[in-house]
C-alpha cells in the first residue's frame, strides 16, 4: 500500500490526485485531526508527530510514505528518510521544480503555515534552482483552521484570503505556490484574489507526478505495491465535519477509522 499522512484533512488533496492518476493502487491515509494544525507547533513537536504518523501507516502495511503536509515536509522529511527504510516523498521539492518551470517574470510567491514559511525552505530551494529569482512569502495561519472547519466558500474566508494575498499581489508575482495541501481546497477563491493570470502550483498534483515517475524508474518497488483499488482512511479524531469534507472532496462514501496516536 501507499501510505499518506497529513496533520488533518488537507492531505486528501494528495489522495484525490493519486486516485485520479493511479486508480488501481491501494492506499492508506492517516489524518492527525486530534493534533491539527502542525503549522503553529515547534520543530521538535512536528518531528515527533511525523514519526508517529509514519509509524502508524507502516504498522498497517504501507511500503511507501508520502508526507502530504508541507509543514512536516519542511521540518521532518530528513528525519523520516533516515529513520525508515521505505521510500519517503515530500511535497515541497516537486512544487519548487514546477514553479521554476512556470515562472516568466522570476517573481514567485509562496503561501503556507507559519512553520513552513519560517523554515524558509521554499525560498532556499527556489533560489538554488535558478539565479535572480525573487521570492515573496506569506504565512497564512488562519487558512488551515478555516478549511478544517469546512468554511471553503464563506464571506469571511474570502476576506481573509484577500488580506493574506494583498502583499503578494502588490509584488506582481507571476507564480504562486500553494505551500500547504489544505490550500487547493480554496483554489476557487485564491485564483481571483491573486490574479487570473497568476500560475498556481498545487503541491498535491506535483508530488503525485514525482511518485509516478519514481514507479516507472523503480519497477521492483512498483511490483511490491498492491493494486486492488482499495483505500483505508484513518484519523486520530473522527468527526462529522471530517467525514463530510472527505466525502465531498473525494466524491464518494468514506469510512473513517479512529486510531489513537502514540
Amino acid at each position: 500500500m501507499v501510505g499518506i499522512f497529513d496533520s488533518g484533512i488537507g492531505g486528501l488533496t494528495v489522495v484525490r490526485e493519486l486516485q485520479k492518476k493511479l486508480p488501481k493502487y491501494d492506499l492508506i491515509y492517516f489524518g492527525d485531526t486530534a493534533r491539527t494544525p502542525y503549522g503553529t507547533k515547534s520543530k521538535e513537536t512536528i518531528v515527533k508527530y511525523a514519526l508517529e504518523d509514519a509509524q502508524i501507516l507502516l504498522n498497517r502495511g504501507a511500503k511507501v510514505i508520502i508526507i502530504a503536509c508541507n509543514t512536516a515536509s519542511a521540518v521532518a522529511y530528513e528525519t523520516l528518510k533516515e529513520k525508515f527504510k521505505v521510500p519517503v516523498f515530500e511535497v515541497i521539492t516537486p512544487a519548487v521544480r514546477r514553479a521554476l518551470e512556470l515562472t516568466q517574470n522570476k517573481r514567485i510567491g509562496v503561501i503556507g503555515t507559519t512553520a513552513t514559511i519560517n523554515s524558509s525552505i521554499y525560498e532556499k530551494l527556489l533560489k538554488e534552482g535558478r539565479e535572480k529569482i525573487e521570492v515573496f512569502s506569506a504565512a497564512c495561519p488562519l487558512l488551515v483552521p478555516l478549511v478544517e472547519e469546512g468554511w471553503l466558500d464563506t464571506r469571511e474566508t474570502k476576506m481573509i484570503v484577500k488580506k493574506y494575498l494583498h502583499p503578494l499581489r502588490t509584488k506582481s508575482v507571476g507564480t504562486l505556490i500553494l505551500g500547504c495541501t489544505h490550500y487547493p481546497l480554496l483554489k476557487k477563491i485564491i485564483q481571483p484574489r491573486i490574479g487570473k493570470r497568476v500560475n498556481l502550483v498545487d503541491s498535491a498534483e506535483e508530488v503525485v507526478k514525482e511518485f509516478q515517475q519514481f514507479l516507472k524508474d523503480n519497477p521492483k518497488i512498483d511490483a511490491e505495491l498492491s493494486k486492488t483499488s482499495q483505500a483505508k482512511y484513518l484519523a486520530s479524531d473522527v468527526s462529522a465535519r471530517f467525514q463530510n469534507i472527505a466525502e465531498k472532496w473525494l466524491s464518494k462514501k468514506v469510512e473513517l477509522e479512529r486510531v489513537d496516536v502514540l
Side-chain angles (χ1 to χ4, degrees):
M1 284 189 291
V2 179
I4 307 109
F5 77 82
D6 181 43
S7 62
I9 64 172
L12 290 174
T13 57
V14 176
V15 171
R16 185 188 187 196
E17 195 66 20
L18 274 170
Q19 292 181 332
K20 186 165 90 174
K21 298 288 178 60
L22 299 167
K24 293 183 179 180
Y25 287 73
D26 295 346
L27 62 87
I28 181 166
Y29 178 81
F30 176 66
D32 193 8
T33 45
R35 302 188 294 196
T36 197
Y38 283 7
T40 56
K41 294 178 171 63
S42 68
K43 177 180 178 179
E44 293 75 18
T45 297
I46 295 165
V47 170
K48 176 179 180 291
Y49 289 176
L51 287 168
E52 292 172 356
D53 298 345
Q55 191 63 61
I56 286 169
L57 295 173
L58 293 171
N59 290 346
R60 296 294 188 103
K63 296 186 180 298
V64 172
I65 297 293
I66 297 177
I67 309 172
C69 172
N70 277 258
T71 300
S73 292
V75 175
Y77 169 66
E78 293 297 333
T79 302
L80 265 65
K81 193 170 68 168
E82 292 175 8
K83 171 78 173 177
F84 302 116
K85 295 180 180 179
V86 301
V88 179
F89 295 84
E90 44 82 19
V91 291
I92 293 174
T93 306
V96 166
R97 188 180 302 116
R98 181 58 175 161
L100 290 172
E101 289 172 357
L102 289 172
T103 187
Q104 294 182 337
N105 68 355
K106 297 184 179 181
R107 300 169 73 83
I108 299 174
V110 182
I111 55 174
T113 66
T114 301
T116 298
I117 298 304
N118 286 347
S119 75
S120 299
I121 186 67
Y122 275 104
E123 183 173 4
K124 176 177 179 289
L125 293 176
L126 285 164
K127 289 186 175 181
E128 280 180 357
R130 191 180 301 179
E131 293 181 2
K132 297 181 180 179
I133 290 290
E134 293 186 271
V135 182
F136 305 94
S137 302
C140 306
L142 292 177
L143 297 190
V144 169
L146 288 168
V147 170
E148 296 280 340
E149 193 64 33
W151 289 24
L152 304 181
D153 196 33
T154 65
R155 183 172 64 88
E156 292 83 358
T157 301
K158 291 174 182 177
M159 290 173 62
I160 291 168
V161 167
K162 183 178 180 180
K163 185 172 180 64
Y164 279 147
L165 294 180
H166 178 70
L168 300 183
R169 186 159 185 163
T170 61
K171 296 295 184 181
S172 300
V173 299
T175 301
L176 179 66
I177 296 175
L178 306 182
C180 175
T181 48
H182 284 70
Y183 296 175
L185 291 164
L186 299 172
K187 265 186 185 178
K188 289 182 180 179
I189 64 175
I190 288 174
Q191 186 73 76
R193 286 160 184 81
I194 192 62
K196 293 182 179 179
R197 295 185 178 181
V198 175
N199 296 305
L200 298 186
V201 176
D202 182 336
S203 54
E205 292 179 359
E206 300 310 318
V207 73
V208 171
K209 289 178 186 176
E210 181 167 287
F211 181 56
Q212 284 182 289
Q213 187 59 50
F214 173 83
L215 294 177
K216 290 179 183 178
D217 295 340
N218 295 273
K220 289 184 179 179
I221 294 176
D222 184 29
E224 294 176 357
L225 298 176
S226 54
K227 303 175 182 69
T228 63
S229 302
Q230 298 296 309
K232 295 180 181 179
Y233 301 93
L234 315 176
S236 52
D237 182 43
V238 174
S239 67
R241 181 174 67 228
F242 188 167
Q243 185 96 33
N244 292 337
I245 293 176
E247 292 181 354
K248 180 180 179 180
W249 189 240
L250 298 175
S251 301
K252 64 181 179 181
K253 183 72 175 175
V254 171
E255 183 177 336
L256 290 173
E257 178 185 344
R258 183 177 176 276
V259 176
D260 290 329
V261 288
L262 302 177

